[in-house]
């Protein structure tokens, strides 16, 4: 049986990695969610120590985590190298 939590997790992309352009909104680093089916934007709450600039000048790889912060789905920075591609199993976006 599929639960509402499972369906929501799928539409939000929990566990997925995306290459995102971050911007500062309300004192937080935020990105538009690359999936049109997602009802939430992404707020980066982990891995901020990996960033040299806030917001970074180039897109970074963010993994969606199973948590909501300030009405946004939470994410963590997992890679800041602009030359490295996101794994082929993962999605990518330069939003």
């Amino acid at each position: 049986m599929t639960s509402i939590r499972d369906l929501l997790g799928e539409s939000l992309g929990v566990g997925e990695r995306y290459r995102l352009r971050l911007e500062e909104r309300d004192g937080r680093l935020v990105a538009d969610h690359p999936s049109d089916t997602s009802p939430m934007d992404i707020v980066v709450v982990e891995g901020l120590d990996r960033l040299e600039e806030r917001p970074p000048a180039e897109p970074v790889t963010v993994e969606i985590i199973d948590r909501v912060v300030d009405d946004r789905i939470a994410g963590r920075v997992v890679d800041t190298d602009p030359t490295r591609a996101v794994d082929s199993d993962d999605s990518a976006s330069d939003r």
Side-chain angles (χ1 to χ4, degrees):
M1 176 198 254
T2 302
S3 71
I4 291 174
R5 183 177 185 162
D6 291 338
L7 292 173
L8 187 58
E10 286 176 26
S11 71
L12 293 173
V14 174
E16 296 291 323
R17 292 181 177 189
Y18 301 98
R19 193 103 181 124
L20 301 170
R21 185 168 302 280
L22 302 177
E23 62 183 55
E24 191 162 344
R25 296 185 210 159
D26 303 322
R28 297 230 185 226
L29 291 180
V30 178
D32 293 333
H33 199 295
S35 173
D36 292 336
T37 62
S38 174
M40 298 177 167
D41 290 336
I42 300 166
V43 61
V44 176
V45 297
E46 294 180 13
L48 295 169
D49 55 326
R50 293 173 169 251
L51 302 175
E52 293 179 20
E53 301 176 71
R54 288 184 68 172
E58 297 294 324
V60 297
T61 303
V62 175
E63 180 179 12
I64 306 300
I65 57 178
D66 188 14
R67 197 164 93 210
V68 174
V69 176
D70 296 336
D71 296 326
R72 297 175 176 122
I73 189 70
R76 79 172 129 243
V77 174
V78 294
D79 191 5
T80 60
D81 186 346
T83 63
R84 195 173 328 195
V86 177
D87 294 339
S88 61
D89 291 340
D90 298 324
S91 301
S93 173
D94 283 336
R95 286 187 163 187

